[in-house]
Amino acid sequence: MLNNYKSQVSGFLVEAGKRINTTSDFWIGARSYGLPGSWNWTDGTSFDFTDWKIPATVGSFCGAFDIANGFWNPMDCSSKKSYVCKTDETATTATTIKPSKPCPNEWFYFEETNSCYFWADSSDWPTAENTCKSFGAHLMSVHSFAEANFTKTIYNGKFWIGLYSNSNPVDWNSTWQYTDGSPVDYTKWGNHQSHDNSRCVQLRYDMYFENLNCTTINYGICKKPSTKVLPTVTATITSTTQASPYCINDWFYNSNTSSCYTLTPSVNWTQAEEYCLFNHAHLTSFHDRYELNFLYYTFRQATSYSDAWNGLFSTDQGMTWQFTDGSDFNYRPWSQGYPIRNSTYCGVYDLGSNYLQNSRCDYSNYGICKRSAVL
C-alpha cells in the first residue's frame, strides 16, 4: 500500500516537473528550522509521509524533489531552483465580492497578530527604524514562534527587529525593549554578545535572536497594525476558575514538576547555562524517573537521541555533584561506569539510553533549560 502511494506521489511530481520544464530537481514545500526531525510542510498540513534519498540533517533546511531518481533531498534554501505550487481546487473560483485589504500594497498580513509587515532595504539599525517610522510603523516586535516563522514568507535571511538595549555594557542581565513599546514576552537567544556596542538585535534565519553592533548593515522588517477590525470577545471568569499553567512558545510543560523546558542551541556547557539564565532558567535538574522520562520523550527526536547538557557540575574532580539551580542531587541514574573522575566535570543526559553521564564541558551539545511555570 505504501509503495503504491509512493509511486503515485513520485509520478505526480515527475509530471509536475515536466510542466515547468525542469529535468533536474525542484523545490517542494518541505521545510526544517535546524533541528533533526523538525521538518514540516509550509502549508501547515501534517508531515506524515517522507521519501528522503539521504537522511535529512542539521543545516539542510529545504526539500527538493529529484526527477532523476524520484526521491527527496535536503538542500540549502539559498539555492536557486524551479518550484511547484499547490492550491485548493476552490481557490481559483471567481467571486464578485472583494474584501477590503487589511494592509497596503506590498505589505504582508499576519492574522495571528492582525498586523502588516514590510521588507525594508538594507541599512544600519537606526536607519532601518527611521525607514519604518516613515511608513507609520516600527521595526517589528516578535511575540511568538509563529510570528517569527511567518517572516520567512517575507525574507528568508537575517534582519533587524525592533529590540534594543540602552545598557552599558550589554550583558546577560541587560534590559531590552521594543521600539513599538510592546512587551518583551518572547525571546529565543542564539548568540548573545557581551559588548558595549552590541545593543541592537537581529532575527536570524534559524529564528534565534542575536544582538549586534547597531552599525551593522542588515535588511529590516517593519510592522504596524492592520486596518482589519476584529470582533470583540468578552470572557467571564468566575472565582472558582483555576489558573492554567503557562509556558511560552517552544517551552514544554511538565505537570508533575510545574516547570517549563526548552532546548538551547548546540553550544558548550557554560554557554548553555548562560542561555538558560538569560531566559530566566537554569540547565535542567531532575529528581525522579518520571521527570527523566518526560525529558526523554519530549526531546529525544529533536536531538537525534544524542547527549544534552543538564545542570550538573563538579568542582572537586567528580567526587561530588550539584545542580546549577541549587536543588538537591537526590536522584542519580548514572549510566554504567559513570561518573568518570577525570576532566569531565559537566553533566549530560544521554537521550539514547535515558541515563545520566558526565562529559568534557567544552564539547558542543544541545542543552535543556528548566524554569518554573507561570501559574
Side-chain angles (χ1 to χ4, degrees):
M1 186 70 176
L2 180 60
N3 287 335
N4 183 48
Y5 180 69
K6 166 182 162 50
S7 64
Q8 292 178 21
V9 172
S10 297
F12 170 79
L13 291 174
V14 168
E15 183 62 29
K18 292 179 180 178
R19 294 193 179 191
I20 60 174
N21 296 319
T22 183
T23 58
S24 55
D25 59 356
F26 58 86
W27 293 125
I28 57 177
R31 182 67 195 268
S32 172
Y33 295 103
L35 294 178
S38 65
W39 287 86
N40 54 70
W41 293 114
T42 55
D43 64 4
T45 55
S46 176
F47 200 76
D48 52 8
F49 172 75
T50 62
D51 200 12
W52 300 107
K53 181 181 180 182
I54 57 175
T57 58
V58 175
S60 299
F61 300 114
C62 294
F65 177 77
D66 191 337
I67 289 181
N69 55 41
F71 286 100
W72 308 356
N73 290 319
M75 305 292 290
D76 184 343
C77 297
S78 63
S79 303
K80 291 187 177 181
K81 300 180 184 297
S82 300
Y83 53 89
V84 172
C85 299
K86 173 185 175 183
T87 185
D88 295 333
E89 288 183 346
T90 57
T92 57
T93 303
T95 178
T96 57
I97 301 175
K98 293 185 177 180
S100 58
K101 295 177 61 176
C103 297
N105 290 335
E106 299 183 358
W107 287 68
F108 295 79
Y109 178 68
F110 185 44
E111 187 172 11
E112 182 174 299
T113 62
N114 193 31
S115 298
C116 303
Y117 302 77
F118 180 76
W119 177 15
D121 290 337
S122 59
S123 66
D124 58 31
W125 188 91
T127 302
E129 171 64 13
N130 286 332
T131 298
C132 293
K133 285 182 177 180
S134 71
F135 296 125
H138 288 279
L139 281 170
M140 72 172 289
S141 52
V142 184
H143 300 287
S144 68
F145 175 84
E147 185 173 16
N149 187 31
F150 164 76
T151 63
K152 299 303 175 186
T153 64
I154 305 173
Y155 177 60
N156 186 20
K158 57 187 180 180
F159 55 85
W160 289 125
I161 60 176
L163 196 62
Y164 72 100
S165 176
N166 287 323
S167 298
N168 187 8
V170 171
D171 57 32
W172 289 101
N173 296 315
S174 296
T175 299
W176 298 88
Q177 55 192 313
Y178 279 116
T179 54
D180 64 6
S182 61
V184 182
D185 51 9
Y186 172 83
T187 54
K188 194 170 180 66
W189 292 100
N191 294 332
H192 190 274
Q193 308 294 334
S194 296
H195 300 303
D196 291 355
N197 54 3
S198 297
R199 299 193 181 102
C200 298
V201 177
Q202 69 172 0
L203 186 66
R204 303 190 322 205
Y205 67 91
D206 56 4
M207 291 180 290
Y208 282 100
F209 290 23
E210 182 176 11
N211 62 312
L212 299 173
N213 189 312
C214 300
T215 61
T216 305
I217 303 300
N218 254 343
Y219 290 109
I221 291 187
C222 307
K223 173 184 176 182
K224 66 180 179 180
S226 80
T227 58
K228 184 176 181 179
V229 179
L230 298 179
T232 301
V233 178
T234 302
T236 302
I237 302 176
T238 66
S239 59
T240 59
T241 301
Q242 297 295 319
S244 298
Y246 175 71
C247 296
I248 62 174
N249 289 333
D250 297 333
W251 290 71
F252 298 87
Y253 179 67
N254 182 350
S255 60
N256 290 323
T257 64
S258 297
S259 298
C260 303
Y261 304 77
T262 194
L263 281 180
T264 75
S266 182
V267 292
N268 65 42
W269 186 91
T270 301
Q271 292 169 330
E273 173 65 10
E274 289 177 344
Y275 176 95
C276 296
L277 285 171
F278 191 77
N279 287 278
H280 310 290
H282 285 281
L283 282 170
T284 188
S285 56
F286 41 83
H287 301 286
D288 54 41
R289 173 53 63 179
Y290 297 106
E291 185 170 11
L292 212 61
N293 285 344
F294 169 84
L295 299 177
Y296 175 73
Y297 289 111
T298 302
F299 298 113
R300 59 179 180 169
Q301 186 174 12
T303 60
S304 293
Y305 296 83
S306 60
D307 294 341
W309 294 123
N310 60 60
L312 276 179
F313 68 100
S314 175
T315 58
D316 55 7
Q317 299 183 343
M319 296 294 293
T320 61
W321 294 84
Q322 55 190 309
F323 284 119
T324 55
D325 65 6
S327 61
D328 293 335
F329 185 33
N330 52 8
Y331 174 66
R332 307 187 178 205
W334 291 107
S335 293
Q336 185 175 358
Y338 287 86
I340 300 173
R341 292 178 180 173
N342 48 31
S343 61
T344 58
Y345 302 142
C346 292
V348 293
Y349 173 39
D350 183 355
L351 284 154
S353 68
N354 199 14
Y355 281 95
L356 175 64
Q357 298 177 1
N358 59 315
S359 171
R360 282 180 48 172
C361 303
D362 58 351
Y363 286 166
S364 289
N365 289 312
Y366 294 110
I368 301 176
C369 300
K370 173 184 177 181
R371 71 183 189 188
S372 296
V374 178
L375 298 178

XYZ file of all heavy atoms in Angstrom, residues 141-224:
697
model
N 8.311 43.883 16.302
C 8.433 43.161 17.559
C 8.039 41.707 17.288
O 7.300 41.426 16.348
C 7.531 43.776 18.630
O 6.198 43.890 18.156
N 8.563 40.801 18.086
C 8.306 39.368 17.901
C 7.728 38.817 19.194
O 8.360 38.916 20.250
C 9.595 38.605 17.531
C 9.280 37.138 17.261
C 10.275 39.236 16.327
N 6.552 38.208 19.112
C 5.868 37.768 20.320
C 5.539 36.277 20.338
O 4.891 35.812 21.280
C 4.595 38.586 20.516
C 4.859 40.056 20.658
N 5.412 40.607 21.793
C 4.701 41.084 19.783
C 5.557 41.918 21.626
N 5.137 42.230 20.418
N 5.986 35.544 19.330
C 5.744 34.100 19.323
C 6.610 33.454 18.253
O 7.109 34.121 17.335
C 4.268 33.786 19.038
O 3.929 34.127 17.705
N 6.772 32.144 18.377
C 7.473 31.395 17.334
C 6.717 31.499 16.017
O 7.317 31.602 14.948
C 7.607 29.927 17.751
C 8.213 29.050 16.684
C 9.590 28.968 16.534
C 7.407 28.311 15.830
C 10.151 28.168 15.549
C 7.957 27.513 14.840
C 9.336 27.440 14.705
N 5.389 31.475 16.087
C 4.582 31.554 14.868
C 4.847 32.854 14.125
O 4.936 32.873 12.890
C 3.101 31.423 15.214
N 4.987 33.947 14.862
C 5.250 35.230 14.215
C 6.641 35.243 13.587
O 6.827 35.735 12.468
C 5.106 36.376 15.213
C 5.244 37.756 14.571
C 4.940 38.896 15.516
O 4.906 38.662 16.750
O 4.740 40.031 15.040
N 7.624 34.696 14.317
C 8.973 34.604 13.752
C 8.974 33.751 12.492
O 9.599 34.091 11.484
C 9.936 34.031 14.794
N 8.250 32.646 12.540
C 8.170 31.740 11.398
C 7.493 32.411 10.205
O 7.879 32.199 9.049
C 7.407 30.485 11.809
C 7.417 29.413 10.738
O 8.367 29.302 9.970
N 6.363 28.627 10.683
N 6.494 33.236 10.475
C 5.778 33.939 9.406
C 6.722 34.802 8.571
O 6.533 34.954 7.357
C 4.675 34.804 10.018
C 4.129 35.850 9.083
C 3.253 35.513 8.064
C 4.510 37.182 9.211
C 2.763 36.475 7.194
C 4.026 38.151 8.347
C 3.151 37.792 7.336
N 7.745 35.377 9.188
C 8.638 36.278 8.455
C 9.360 35.578 7.311
O 9.859 36.240 6.401
C 9.684 36.904 9.396
O 10.525 35.876 9.946
C 9.010 37.670 10.527
N 9.413 34.238 7.342
C 10.074 33.512 6.260
C 9.334 33.689 4.938
O 9.908 33.459 3.876
C 10.171 32.022 6.604
C 10.974 31.741 7.868
C 12.376 32.301 7.776
C 13.127 32.134 9.069
N 14.446 32.797 9.055
N 8.061 34.069 5.011
C 7.318 34.336 3.779
C 7.694 35.684 3.183
O 7.354 35.976 2.038
C 5.800 34.316 4.041
O 5.459 35.389 4.931
C 5.376 32.997 4.664
N 8.389 36.508 3.972
C 8.803 37.832 3.511
C 10.267 37.823 3.093
O 10.628 38.267 2.009
C 8.580 38.881 4.619
C 7.120 38.860 5.087
C 8.978 40.271 4.137
C 6.862 39.746 6.290
N 11.111 37.313 3.975
C 12.547 37.275 3.684
C 13.175 36.117 4.440
O 13.055 36.028 5.659
C 13.212 38.592 4.088
C 14.715 38.594 3.875
C 15.254 38.400 2.609
C 15.586 38.767 4.949
C 16.625 38.386 2.415
C 16.962 38.763 4.763
C 17.475 38.569 3.488
O 18.833 38.542 3.299
N 13.842 35.239 3.721
C 14.465 34.065 4.330
C 15.937 34.360 4.613
O 16.833 33.911 3.919
C 14.324 32.855 3.410
C 14.821 31.584 4.078
O 14.915 31.523 5.298
N 15.142 30.586 3.280
N 16.171 35.144 5.631
C 17.529 35.517 6.000
C 17.503 36.283 7.307
O 16.477 36.377 7.972
N 18.622 36.847 7.692
C 18.693 37.606 8.941
C 18.288 39.055 8.686
O 18.548 39.610 7.617
C 20.102 37.532 9.522
C 21.195 38.012 8.584
C 22.575 37.745 9.170
C 23.667 38.226 8.213
N 25.017 37.978 8.745
N 17.659 39.676 9.685
C 17.193 41.048 9.504
C 16.994 41.704 10.868
O 16.819 41.031 11.894
C 15.888 41.080 8.704
C 14.788 40.242 9.285
C 13.955 40.733 10.279
C 14.590 38.941 8.846
C 12.952 39.961 10.826
C 13.584 38.151 9.388
C 12.768 38.667 10.380
N 17.013 43.036 10.855
C 16.805 43.803 12.079
C 15.369 43.655 12.577
O 14.421 43.652 11.795
C 17.064 45.291 11.847
C 18.482 45.704 11.629
C 18.971 46.414 10.568
C 19.591 45.481 12.508
N 20.323 46.637 10.721
C 20.729 46.074 11.910
C 19.748 44.831 13.729
C 21.990 46.040 12.491
C 21.003 44.794 14.315
C 22.107 45.391 13.700
N 15.225 43.554 13.904
C 13.927 43.712 14.544
C 14.031 44.898 15.504
O 15.107 45.480 15.671
C 13.488 42.433 15.290
C 14.493 42.062 16.392
C 13.313 41.287 14.306
C 14.060 40.860 17.228
N 12.935 45.253 16.147
C 12.910 46.477 16.945
C 13.440 46.348 18.353
O 13.301 47.280 19.151
N 14.067 45.233 18.690
C 14.568 45.016 20.043
C 15.931 45.686 20.219
O 16.823 45.520 19.377
C 14.679 43.515 20.313
C 14.829 43.078 21.769
C 13.622 43.489 22.603
C 15.029 41.561 21.847
N 16.099 46.422 21.309
C 17.364 47.103 21.569
C 17.543 47.288 23.070
O 16.612 47.100 23.864
C 17.405 48.461 20.864
C 16.506 49.507 21.485
C 17.018 50.485 22.338
C 15.133 49.514 21.230
C 16.185 51.439 22.914
C 14.299 50.461 21.797
C 14.832 51.423 22.641
O 14.011 52.362 23.218
N 18.754 47.655 23.453
C 19.063 47.898 24.863
C 19.869 49.176 24.996
O 20.701 49.499 24.141
C 19.859 46.721 25.447
O 20.243 46.993 26.787
N 19.618 49.897 26.090
C 20.421 51.075 26.420
C 21.472 50.763 27.474
O 22.161 51.663 27.959
C 19.517 52.203 26.930
C 18.704 52.828 25.804
O 19.203 52.980 24.686
N 17.460 53.175 26.085
N 21.591 49.483 27.852
C 22.534 49.098 28.900
C 23.972 49.327 28.454
O 24.302 49.213 27.272
C 22.346 47.623 29.261
O 21.058 47.384 29.764
N 24.816 49.627 29.406
C 26.229 49.833 29.119
C 27.049 49.292 30.294
O 27.057 49.888 31.366
C 26.520 51.316 28.910
C 27.951 51.553 28.429
O 28.669 50.616 28.111
N 28.347 52.824 28.389
N 27.713 48.124 30.135
C 27.779 47.330 28.902
C 26.573 46.415 28.752
O 25.810 46.223 29.688
C 29.049 46.506 29.104
C 29.089 46.292 30.586
C 28.565 47.578 31.198
N 26.434 45.835 27.559
C 25.396 44.843 27.319
C 25.865 43.508 27.893
O 26.978 43.066 27.641
C 25.116 44.698 25.804
C 24.203 43.514 25.545
C 24.497 45.967 25.264
N 25.028 42.864 28.699
C 25.358 41.544 29.231
C 24.065 40.761 29.412
O 22.992 41.187 28.990
C 26.142 41.650 30.547
C 25.394 42.435 31.616
O 24.147 42.384 31.631
O 26.053 43.101 32.439
N 24.167 39.609 30.063
C 23.002 38.739 30.206
C 21.905 39.361 31.064
O 20.756 38.929 31.025
C 23.429 37.399 30.797
C 24.212 36.577 29.836
C 25.561 36.409 29.799
C 23.701 35.826 28.735
N 25.928 35.607 28.750
C 24.803 35.225 28.086
C 22.419 35.597 28.230
C 24.656 34.420 26.970
C 22.281 34.782 27.118
C 23.389 34.206 26.502
N 22.250 40.359 31.862
C 21.255 40.989 32.730
C 20.712 42.296 32.156
O 19.993 43.022 32.837
C 21.870 41.252 34.108
C 22.254 39.970 34.817
O 21.483 39.018 34.829
N 23.453 39.934 35.388
N 21.070 42.599 30.924
C 20.634 43.856 30.321
C 19.121 43.884 30.129
O 18.474 42.850 29.968
C 21.317 44.062 28.964
O 22.711 44.205 29.119
N 18.577 45.094 30.166
C 17.154 45.294 29.910
C 16.948 45.576 28.431
O 17.633 46.414 27.847
C 16.624 46.475 30.739
O 16.797 46.183 32.130
C 15.144 46.708 30.449
N 16.001 44.869 27.824
C 15.718 45.024 26.402
C 14.309 45.571 26.220
O 13.426 45.326 27.037
C 15.866 43.680 25.683
C 17.268 43.146 25.765
C 17.790 42.370 26.753
C 18.323 43.387 24.842
N 19.112 42.098 26.503
C 19.470 42.712 25.333
C 18.427 44.099 23.647
C 20.688 42.735 24.671
C 19.641 44.118 22.982
C 20.752 43.450 23.486
N 14.103 46.307 25.147
C 12.793 46.894 24.882
C 12.567 46.998 23.377
O 13.520 46.980 22.587
C 12.686 48.275 25.527
C 13.791 49.245 25.132
C 13.801 50.482 26.003
O 12.764 51.084 26.240
N 14.978 50.871 26.481
N 11.300 47.082 23.001
C 10.934 47.228 21.593
C 10.625 48.687 21.270
O 10.068 49.413 22.098
C 9.708 46.376 21.256
C 10.028 44.920 21.002
C 9.532 43.928 21.839
C 10.810 44.545 19.918
C 9.812 42.590 21.599
C 11.099 43.216 19.675
C 10.601 42.242 20.513
O 10.886 40.924 20.273
N 10.954 49.076 20.056
C 10.688 50.449 19.629
C 9.198 50.742 19.536
O 8.791 51.903 19.610
C 11.338 50.729 18.257
O 10.906 49.731 17.314
C 12.858 50.695 18.360
N 8.363 49.700 19.367
C 6.919 49.947 19.296
C 6.263 49.943 20.672
O 5.051 50.096 20.797
C 6.234 48.930 18.373
C 6.317 47.489 18.883
O 6.806 47.267 20.008
O 5.885 46.577 18.138
N 7.074 49.771 21.726
C 6.557 49.829 23.086
C 5.866 48.575 23.570
O 5.378 48.533 24.706
N 5.813 47.535 22.757
C 5.144 46.297 23.168
C 6.027 45.525 24.148
O 7.245 45.726 24.204
C 4.820 45.437 21.945
O 6.004 45.074 21.255
N 5.438 44.624 24.940
C 6.218 43.906 25.952
C 7.192 42.906 25.328
O 6.934 42.365 24.249
C 5.147 43.179 26.772
C 3.994 43.025 25.835
C 4.005 44.264 24.984
N 8.299 42.679 26.004
C 9.264 41.659 25.573
C 8.835 40.351 26.235
O 9.302 39.988 27.314
C 10.698 42.050 25.969
C 11.697 41.009 25.464
C 11.048 43.428 25.414
N 7.911 39.648 25.580
C 7.319 38.450 26.169
C 7.729 37.173 25.448
O 7.229 36.088 25.758
C 5.794 38.559 26.191
C 5.214 38.930 24.825
O 5.974 38.939 23.830
O 4.008 39.226 24.749
N 8.614 37.292 24.466
C 9.127 36.114 23.761
C 10.563 36.401 23.356
O 10.830 37.372 22.647
C 8.281 35.816 22.521
C 8.858 34.721 21.634
C 8.630 33.385 21.907
C 9.643 35.039 20.527
C 9.157 32.381 21.108
C 10.176 34.045 19.715
C 9.928 32.716 20.007
O 10.464 31.728 19.216
N 11.490 35.605 23.841
C 12.890 35.735 23.431
C 13.457 34.350 23.201
O 13.170 33.423 23.948
C 13.744 36.454 24.489
O 13.585 35.794 25.747
C 13.352 37.909 24.618
N 14.250 34.217 22.164
C 14.904 32.943 21.854
C 16.315 33.276 21.368
O 16.570 33.394 20.175
C 14.110 32.173 20.802
C 14.516 30.718 20.660
C 13.542 29.969 19.788
C 13.933 28.504 19.641
N 13.844 27.773 20.907
N 17.207 33.456 22.331
C 18.556 33.903 22.014
C 19.396 32.764 21.453
O 19.403 31.662 21.980
C 19.240 34.471 23.254
C 18.646 35.755 23.730
C 17.769 35.930 24.753
C 18.873 37.062 23.178
N 17.434 37.250 24.879
C 18.099 37.974 23.931
C 19.657 37.546 22.132
C 18.088 39.336 23.663
C 19.646 38.908 21.862
C 18.871 39.785 22.621
N 20.115 33.067 20.386
C 21.112 32.150 19.858
C 22.463 32.555 20.400
O 22.989 31.973 21.334
N 23.017 33.625 19.862
C 24.251 34.201 20.392
C 23.907 35.488 21.127
O 23.046 36.243 20.710
C 25.236 34.525 19.262
C 25.731 33.282 18.579
O 25.780 32.221 19.194
N 26.089 33.394 17.310
N 24.596 35.723 22.211
C 24.377 36.963 22.960
C 25.742 37.570 23.241
O 26.509 37.060 24.048
C 23.627 36.674 24.260
C 23.162 37.916 24.956
N 23.953 38.620 25.812
C 21.980 38.578 24.895
C 23.281 39.661 26.274
N 22.085 39.655 25.739
N 26.078 38.646 22.522
C 27.389 39.247 22.621
C 27.449 40.217 23.800
O 26.597 41.075 23.948
C 27.720 40.006 21.325
C 27.552 39.181 20.061
C 28.541 38.049 19.986
O 29.616 38.124 20.570
N 28.201 36.990 19.278
N 28.444 40.055 24.643
C 28.610 40.960 25.783
C 29.595 42.067 25.409
O 30.751 42.073 25.833
C 29.100 40.178 27.006
O 28.140 39.247 27.414
N 29.154 42.979 24.573
C 29.979 44.101 24.143
C 29.191 45.393 24.311
O 27.971 45.420 24.170
C 30.403 43.948 22.678
C 31.212 42.710 22.415
N 32.370 42.430 23.076
C 31.000 41.680 21.565
C 32.860 41.274 22.637
N 32.034 40.798 21.725
N 29.913 46.480 24.584
C 29.257 47.764 24.817
C 28.366 48.180 23.657
O 27.319 48.781 23.846
C 30.312 48.855 25.052
C 31.035 48.661 26.375
O 30.645 47.742 27.116
O 31.971 49.418 26.650
N 28.807 47.886 22.430
C 28.101 48.424 21.267
C 27.193 47.406 20.585
O 26.728 47.644 19.480
C 29.112 48.970 20.247
C 30.161 47.933 19.868
O 30.102 46.802 20.331
N 31.114 48.332 19.039
N 26.931 46.270 21.226
C 26.045 45.263 20.621
C 24.645 45.412 21.199
O 24.134 44.532 21.878
C 26.589 43.853 20.867
O 27.833 43.684 20.252
N 24.031 46.545 20.910
C 22.767 46.887 21.561
C 21.544 46.678 20.684
O 20.432 46.947 21.114
C 22.808 48.355 22.007
C 23.902 48.678 23.015
C 23.660 50.043 23.634
N 24.709 50.390 24.575
C 25.702 51.225 24.309
N 25.770 51.792 23.122
N 26.616 51.489 25.222
N 21.735 46.238 19.458
C 20.614 46.070 18.532
C 20.493 44.601 18.136
O 21.490 43.888 18.078
C 20.814 46.940 17.292
S 20.862 48.716 17.678
N 19.283 44.170 17.848
C 19.014 42.739 17.703
C 18.515 42.413 16.301
O 17.691 43.132 15.731
C 17.977 42.281 18.747
C 17.637 40.803 18.571
C 18.506 42.532 20.157
N 19.038 41.314 15.771
C 18.548 40.766 14.515
C 17.867 39.425 14.786
O 18.157 38.747 15.771
C 19.683 40.564 13.515
C 20.665 39.462 13.893
C 21.671 39.161 12.793
O 21.654 39.777 11.734
N 22.557 38.211 13.035
N 16.942 39.065 13.907
C 16.353 37.731 13.906
C 17.057 36.946 12.814
O 17.054 37.348 11.651
C 14.850 37.797 13.630
C 14.089 36.470 13.742
C 14.087 35.975 15.178
C 12.660 36.613 13.233
N 17.684 35.829 13.198
C 18.450 35.044 12.248
C 17.544 34.147 11.414
O 16.367 33.966 11.725
C 19.486 34.187 12.983
C 20.436 34.994 13.833
C 21.604 34.206 14.377
N 21.298 32.849 14.781
C 22.002 32.174 15.680
N 23.038 32.747 16.268
N 21.688 30.931 15.999
N 18.121 33.536 10.379
C 17.355 32.649 9.511
C 16.812 31.445 10.278
O 15.793 30.865 9.900
C 18.229 32.162 8.344
C 19.366 31.266 8.775
C 19.204 29.891 8.837
C 20.597 31.798 9.142
C 20.234 29.071 9.257
C 21.629 30.990 9.561
C 21.446 29.623 9.610
O 22.469 28.811 10.038
N 17.486 31.037 11.387
C 17.015 29.904 12.184
C 16.059 30.346 13.282
O 15.699 29.573 14.158
C 18.190 29.140 12.788
C 19.104 30.025 13.639
O 18.791 31.219 13.824
O 20.136 29.521 14.115
N 15.664 31.620 13.253
C 14.673 32.219 14.153
C 15.170 32.380 15.587
O 14.380 32.478 16.515
C 13.352 31.453 14.094
C 12.654 31.632 12.765
S 11.088 30.764 12.637
C 11.651 29.075 12.583
N 16.483 32.408 15.758
C 17.068 32.793 17.035
C 17.400 34.287 17.015
O 17.679 34.863 15.962
C 18.343 31.996 17.317
C 18.091 30.588 17.796
C 18.181 29.505 16.927
C 17.764 30.341 19.125
C 17.951 28.211 17.367
C 17.535 29.050 19.577
C 17.633 27.990 18.696
O 17.399 26.711 19.139
N 17.381 34.916 18.199
C 17.768 36.317 18.337
C 19.291 36.407 18.461
O 19.935 35.535 19.029
C 17.154 36.930 19.599
C 15.665 37.128 19.553
C 14.859 36.394 18.708
C 15.058 38.051 20.393
C 13.482 36.573 18.680
C 13.685 38.237 20.386
C 12.901 37.494 19.528
N 19.842 37.516 17.971
C 21.279 37.769 18.119
C 21.505 39.273 18.175
O 21.004 40.004 17.324
C 22.053 37.161 16.949
C 23.562 37.336 17.068
C 24.314 36.642 15.942
O 23.672 36.204 14.963
O 25.546 36.542 16.037
N 22.225 39.729 19.202
C 22.498 41.159 19.301
C 23.813 41.503 18.619
O 24.781 40.747 18.670
C 22.497 41.621 20.762
C 23.563 40.952 21.598
O 23.706 39.740 21.558
N 24.312 41.739 22.366
N 23.817 42.656 17.939
C 24.955 43.074 17.122
C 25.228 44.558 17.325
O 24.418 45.291 17.903
C 24.659 42.838 15.631
C 24.394 41.413 15.151
C 23.958 41.449 13.692
C 25.635 40.556 15.302
N 26.363 44.988 16.810
C 26.645 46.415 16.704
C 25.571 47.063 15.828
O 25.257 46.563 14.744
C 28.030 46.607 16.082
C 28.487 48.047 16.125
O 27.746 48.953 15.767
N 29.719 48.254 16.549
N 25.010 48.162 16.286
C 23.894 48.796 15.578
C 24.286 49.367 14.220
O 23.414 49.727 13.420
C 23.285 49.907 16.434
S 22.627 49.333 18.016
N 25.592 49.465 13.948
C 26.035 49.978 12.651
C 26.131 48.881 11.594
O 26.419 49.164 10.434
C 27.405 50.658 12.786
O 28.369 49.699 13.252
C 27.337 51.822 13.766
N 25.905 47.626 11.998
C 25.913 46.517 11.035
C 24.831 46.743 9.979
O 23.747 47.241 10.278
C 25.660 45.183 11.758
O 26.622 45.022 12.802
C 25.744 44.010 10.798
N 25.137 46.392 8.742
C 24.176 46.566 7.648
C 23.321 45.306 7.521
O 23.834 44.203 7.344
C 24.895 46.865 6.318
C 25.772 48.114 6.467
C 23.876 47.044 5.198
C 25.001 49.363 6.855
N 22.018 45.484 7.628
C 21.056 44.384 7.558
C 19.787 44.865 6.874
O 19.482 46.067 6.878
C 20.664 43.931 8.976
C 21.290 42.611 9.363
O 21.752 41.861 8.520
N 21.294 42.324 10.650
N 19.044 43.931 6.311
C 17.671 44.257 5.960
C 16.876 44.441 7.249
O 17.313 44.056 8.332
C 17.041 43.143 5.124
C 17.613 43.034 3.730
C 18.427 41.968 3.372
C 17.337 44.005 2.774
C 18.961 41.865 2.090
C 17.862 43.919 1.495
C 18.678 42.849 1.158
O 19.201 42.762 -0.098
N 15.705 45.030 7.140
C 14.827 45.171 8.290
C 13.410 44.800 7.898
O 13.055 44.858 6.718
N 12.616 44.407 8.861
C 11.192 44.165 8.605
C 10.381 45.085 9.507
O 10.542 45.079 10.733
C 10.816 42.694 8.822
C 11.450 41.837 7.722
C 9.301 42.517 8.816
C 11.027 40.391 7.721
N 9.552 45.896 8.866
C 8.692 46.840 9.576
C 7.365 46.164 9.919
O 6.932 45.231 9.239
C 8.413 48.065 8.708
S 9.885 48.891 8.051
N 6.712 46.684 10.944
C 5.435 46.119 11.395
C 4.530 47.245 11.872
O 4.979 48.161 12.561
C 5.687 45.123 12.529
C 4.446 44.573 13.222
C 4.864 43.671 14.388
C 3.693 43.163 15.194
N 4.128 42.334 16.352
N 3.256 47.161 11.500
C 2.276 48.122 12.002
C 0.908 47.452 12.055
O 0.673 46.437 11.377
C 2.233 49.366 11.124
C 1.729 49.161 9.700
C 1.739 50.487 8.951
C 1.259 50.341 7.511
N 1.275 51.649 6.803
